[in-house]
Amino acid sequence: MRPRSSGIPLWGRIAGGIAAVLAVLLVIVMFFPWDMLREPLNRYVSEKTGRKFEITRRLDVTPGWRGATIAFDGVEFANPSWAREPYLVKAQRAEFEIRLWPLLGGKVVIPRLMLVSPTMGLQLEQDGRRTWALGKDTGDVDTVPTIGLLQVDGGGVDFLAEHLGVDLHADFTFDTARGEMPLDFRVKGRYQRQTLTAQGSTGNVLQLTSAGQPPFPMEIKAVAGKTQLSAKGTVAALADLDGIDAQFQLKGQTLGDLYPLLGIALPQTSPYALSGDLRKRAKLWEVQGLKGKLGLSDIGGDMRFDQAPKTPHLSGSLRSRVMDMDDLGPLIGLPPTERAAKAVEGVEPPPSITQVKRAQKDPGRKVLPTAKLDFERLRAMNAEVQYTAEKIRNVRDVPLDRGSVHVKLVDGVLTLDPLDLGLASGKLAGAIRIDATQNPADIRASLDIRAMQLNRLIPKVETLKTSFGKLDGRINLSGRGNSVASWLGGSSGDVAAITGRGEFSNLLLEFMGLDGGEIIKFLLRGDRNVTLRCAAVAFDVSKGVMVGRSLVFDTTDTVFNASGQASLSDETMHFVVRQQPKDMSILSLRTPLVIGGTFASPSVGIEAGQLAGRGLAAVALGVINPLLALVATIETGPGVDADCKGVLADAKQPTAGAAAAGAAKAKTARQ
């Protein structure tokens, strides 16, 4: 006789058995005395990591479907023996969630970590070793845990990376009375070998890696060296500073100080104060609505800094409504002026050019900037930036009207092309190229001068009612150097300025010609202008020595011819100017003028030989008859018109040799 069937199919009985087993296991897991595993776990972790790990009071585990929540009541985890701090972490309590499936692949994923009153010692070595790598090989990045959210209730953290110049200590305090940002932090130490202090607040959770959570709020005020930062916004991930959306204010003595802090190679500048909106996604930093002051100039625009390429890339567009001439000095190695040094409130003024010269033993010895320009930074990134100044303030009697420049930096080669400046109602345009892959740097400048009004270029002459014509010219120089002075001191090429017909003050002309009779006449009757037929100032430059090729100034009254040279290396000069009047005059002491001395202390005199000859003749004739003494001062006017066509032609081309070769090389700066 067959047994009666229960009515439950086989598969149902199997499923029921599995469910029963799982229920029993769940009950066992839920009520398992996990603290019994504390000592075995201490030994296991210590063995696997090669350093002491101890749960000092109690272990508790709450299992879940995807992972488990583990709580340590008191924990001490030692650092490797090579670390400065004894503990990686020592806390009154630690609680963390851990994903189970990644453990099968040797990955430690911790979505949340909470620490109560921790002491943490994080250290990174140049060879890649780090104290938070959990394997015996602390240089193996695969043993570094992935941590999502970090909650810290008080305590402190030390971070040391000597090879990066970083040694920081942070203290945390947690107080729910602070509202949406209850976690307060204070940081002190050194960052990039500069003193750093910072303080700020965040939400109750720090998101170290992006884990699908919304960004957390954060505000910070920091001072690193002479640089001050204030920012407020949100951050998605602290580990790589990703997902930043913040408003910032930045102040400092020079933008050049940002290079060691941020890795952005910016030029030396006057003190600055900038603000804007900062956004970062992955490796791309963006600043929008940038505005503020750069010394005495205003500045605004938008910038992007992309760290994704092998060589980071900076790009953007900047503009100034008014750019002050005083702010150009630091770009070529000069300290800022006193006005520019004190232009930004809240920033300690850097030493001004006046203070620097006062501190020098021989403040007037050099005029050309000798400060070494840090061209090595140009190899740290690539860049393409457009800058426009709508108006340039006339500070030092140089009538710059406007300016624009396209800056391009590719693999250590910097070009300013085109460079376009409105100068004295005319134009100065061209290109400058600096190859920083060579040491000293290869520097080439090719600039053209077009239609500049000389009465604006030399405004003080306007007091003599002078009205000049228009000036054209060029500068083509090439050489090598790491400062403006060293480059010019060894450069070769061509420098020239020419002008056609115009007018010139006759009173000034007679002073230059030492014509006493004409001076007295004009003082009694008033000044009048004479016609300028042509003028040319052209130099062949060979290894820093400027030799006059065509130095002519021809008016309807007098023709001046000059000869001589100037040294850009030792900043000395010697020129002789010979006047040849075209009219007859009495009381004339016409004799060659001698211009000499140094750029810092020039001297102007006359050739003593010719003047002494006229003086002796006057004395001899005066013995015979006092009226005859005037005969020696009579100028018969032997001067003739210069060949203006020939003068201008000579000024247009350098002679052969180093000057011609240098000029040709300089022109290659233009693309």
Side-chain angles (χ1 to χ4, degrees):
M1 185 174 179
R2 290 182 179 181
R4 181 177 294 179
S5 174
S6 63
I8 301 175
L10 179 61
W11 66 266
R13 291 195 297 271
I14 294 174
I18 293 174
V21 171
L22 291 176
V24 171
L25 289 175
L26 180 61
V27 171
I28 293 174
V29 168
M30 293 295 294
F31 294 97
F32 185 82
W34 293 102
D35 193 52
M36 293 177 54
L37 301 178
R38 176 159 51 96
E39 290 302 327
L41 182 61
N42 289 344
R43 291 193 296 271
Y44 176 80
V45 175
S46 297
E47 172 63 26
K48 285 292 184 180
T49 60
R51 39 189 160 139
K52 183 180 179 182
F53 174 83
E54 183 177 6
I55 305 168
T56 57
R57 290 186 292 276
R58 180 175 176 79
L59 166 66
D60 197 10
V61 178
T62 304
W65 290 111
R66 300 178 58 190
T69 299
I70 302 174
F72 300 150
D73 187 8
V75 63
E76 296 178 1
F77 193 6
N79 260 327
S81 59
W82 49 263
R84 180 181 67 180
E85 301 298 324
Y87 293 102
L88 172 64
V89 59
K90 180 179 181 180
Q92 293 182 8
R93 178 176 172 81
E95 181 178 299
F96 61 94
E97 299 175 14
I98 188 169
R99 293 282 185 259
L100 299 179
W101 290 112
L103 287 175
L104 299 177
K107 300 288 186 180
V108 179
V109 179
I110 300 175
R112 182 182 65 87
L113 171 62
M114 186 271 290
L115 299 171
V116 177
S117 299
T119 298
M120 301 180 68
L122 308 177
Q123 187 168 332
L124 175 64
E125 293 294 293
Q126 189 170 9
D127 58 9
R129 290 178 297 163
R130 61 205 71 195
T131 57
W132 58 95
L134 300 183
K136 288 185 178 180
D137 182 2
T138 54
D140 185 0
V141 296
D142 291 334
T143 63
V144 176
T146 299
I147 301 175
L149 307 180
L150 173 64
Q151 293 174 285
V152 179
D153 188 355
V157 177
D158 283 280
F159 180 70
L160 175 64
E162 283 188 310
H163 63 289
L164 299 176
V166 179
D167 187 357
L168 300 174
H169 175 80
D171 288 312
F172 296 91
T173 59
F174 189 85
D175 187 350
T176 56
R178 298 191 184 113
E180 67 172 3
M181 289 191 286
L183 185 61
D184 184 84
F185 62 87
R186 293 180 179 273
V187 181
K188 62 180 180 180
R190 297 186 67 79
Y191 178 74
Q192 297 294 350
R193 299 175 178 85
Q194 296 189 47
T195 301
L196 172 72
T197 59
Q199 62 182 38
S201 302
T202 76
N204 60 351
V205 174
L206 301 177
Q207 192 163 305
L208 299 186
T209 57
S210 182
Q213 300 289 334
F216 64 92
M218 188 174 186
E219 61 182 21
I220 185 173
K221 292 183 178 180
V223 178
K226 304 296 184 181
T227 304
Q228 306 172 35
L229 169 67
S230 177
K232 184 175 183 179
T234 58
V235 183
L238 272 181
D240 50 6
L241 290 178
D242 197 14
I244 296 177
D245 284 285
Q247 294 179 327
F248 74 93
Q249 294 83 40
L250 191 66
K251 292 183 177 182
Q253 285 191 349
T254 170
L255 287 174
D257 286 346
L258 296 181
Y259 176 67
L261 298 175
L262 303 177
I264 304 177
L266 296 175
Q268 298 298 321
T269 65
S270 299
Y272 65 91
L274 304 173
S275 64
D277 296 322
L278 176 66
R279 185 175 184 268
K280 181 177 185 287
R281 297 293 185 272
K283 296 289 186 178
L284 179 63
W285 296 78
E286 294 180 289
V287 175
Q288 296 181 338
L290 180 71
K291 60 182 179 180
K293 294 180 63 178
L294 198 61
L296 297 161
S297 308
D298 69 273
I299 194 163
D302 301 302
M303 298 294 293
R304 292 161 53 97
F305 185 58
D306 191 356
Q307 294 177 304
K310 182 179 180 181
T311 303
H313 188 267
L314 177 71
S315 61
S317 177
L318 298 173
R319 60 188 175 275
S320 296
R321 291 188 300 274
V322 178
M323 192 275 284
D324 197 290
M325 276 288 294
D326 275 16
D327 296 320
L328 294 181
L331 296 177
I332 59 173
L334 291 174
T337 65
E338 187 172 357
R339 296 171 63 248
K342 298 178 179 179
V344 178
E345 293 184 8
V347 175
E348 179 185 345
S352 68
I353 189 169
T354 302
Q355 293 171 322
V356 171
K357 285 187 174 182
R358 190 180 298 131
Q360 294 174 346
K361 293 181 180 179
D362 186 4
R365 186 172 59 88
K366 289 289 184 180
V367 171
L368 300 176
T370 58
K372 184 177 179 181
L373 302 175
D374 193 356
F375 291 138
E376 293 181 3
R377 297 185 178 190
L378 300 183
R379 296 193 289 269
M381 70 178 197
N382 293 331
E384 186 165 7
V385 178
Q386 180 71 39
Y387 172 72
T388 301
E390 298 174 7
K391 180 180 179 181
I392 300 180
R393 186 176 292 144
N394 181 5
V395 175
R396 297 178 183 173
D397 294 329
V398 178
L400 281 166
D401 304 315
R402 52 163 182 79
S404 66
V405 61
H406 183 203
V407 180
K408 194 171 183 179
L409 174 60
V410 180
D411 298 332
V413 178
L414 175 68
T415 56
L416 310 181
D417 184 17
L419 173 63
D420 188 348
L421 299 176
L423 177 59
S425 300
K427 185 176 182 179
L428 175 66
I432 297 175
R433 180 182 184 272
I434 300 173
D435 185 352
T437 62
Q438 304 183 44
N439 189 18
D442 183 335
I443 306 176
R444 307 174 189 183
S446 181
L447 303 170
D448 287 331
I449 301 167
R450 293 287 180 265
M452 288 196 304
Q453 292 184 1
L454 289 181
N455 60 340
R456 289 199 63 207
L457 190 63
I458 315 174
K460 291 183 179 179
V461 179
E462 291 179 0
T463 60
L464 297 175
K465 299 180 180 180
T466 300
S467 177
F468 283 106
K470 293 184 178 181
L471 178 73
D472 293 330
R474 66 187 174 278
I475 299 172
N476 289 311
L477 292 175
S478 62
R480 299 183 66 177
N482 289 330
S483 69
V484 173
S486 64
W487 169 57
L488 290 175
S491 63
S492 297
D494 171 38
V495 176
I498 60 177
T499 183
R501 297 184 70 84
E503 292 187 336
F504 193 79
S505 166
N506 204 42
L507 179 56
L508 180 60
L509 195 67
E510 303 304 339
F511 270 116
M512 294 170 59
L514 302 179
D515 193 334
E518 293 293 316
I519 292 172
I520 293 173
K521 182 173 66 175
F522 292 138
L523 289 177
L524 293 175
R525 297 182 180 180
D527 189 16
R528 65 179 178 85
N529 284 354
V530 296
T531 299
L532 171 67
R533 299 184 65 250
C534 61
V537 177
F539 294 93
D540 287 332
V541 185
S542 178
K543 298 180 181 180
V545 178
M546 300 176 62
V547 179
R549 179 173 73 248
S550 179
L551 306 175
V552 179
F553 189 90
D554 185 26
T555 74
T556 53
D557 181 87
T558 305
V559 59
F560 294 84
N561 288 280
S563 61
Q565 65 183 37
S567 171
L568 296 173
S569 58
D570 58 20
E571 299 190 10
T572 59
M573 57 185 169
H574 180 80
F575 293 97
V576 177
V577 182
R578 293 177 173 82
Q579 318 94 320
Q580 292 180 310
K582 301 178 183 180
D583 58 357
M584 180 179 291
S585 177
I586 195 170
L587 296 180
S588 175
L589 299 178
R590 296 190 193 272
T591 188
L593 296 176
V594 178
I595 302 173
T598 66
F599 294 178
S601 182
S603 61
V604 179
I606 55 178
E607 279 195 350
Q610 290 196 23
L611 183 61
R614 282 182 176 249
L616 290 174
V619 171
L621 292 173
V623 172
I624 302 172
N625 187 324
L627 292 178
L628 293 179
L630 297 176
V631 174
T633 68
I634 294 175
E635 178 61 70
T636 59
V640 296
D641 289 344
D643 177 10
C644 282
K645 186 176 181 179
V647 166
L648 299 182
D650 289 343
K652 287 182 178 180
Q653 294 292 335
T655 55
K665 186 176 180 181
K667 292 178 182 179
T668 64
R670 305 190 188 204
Q671 298 179 351

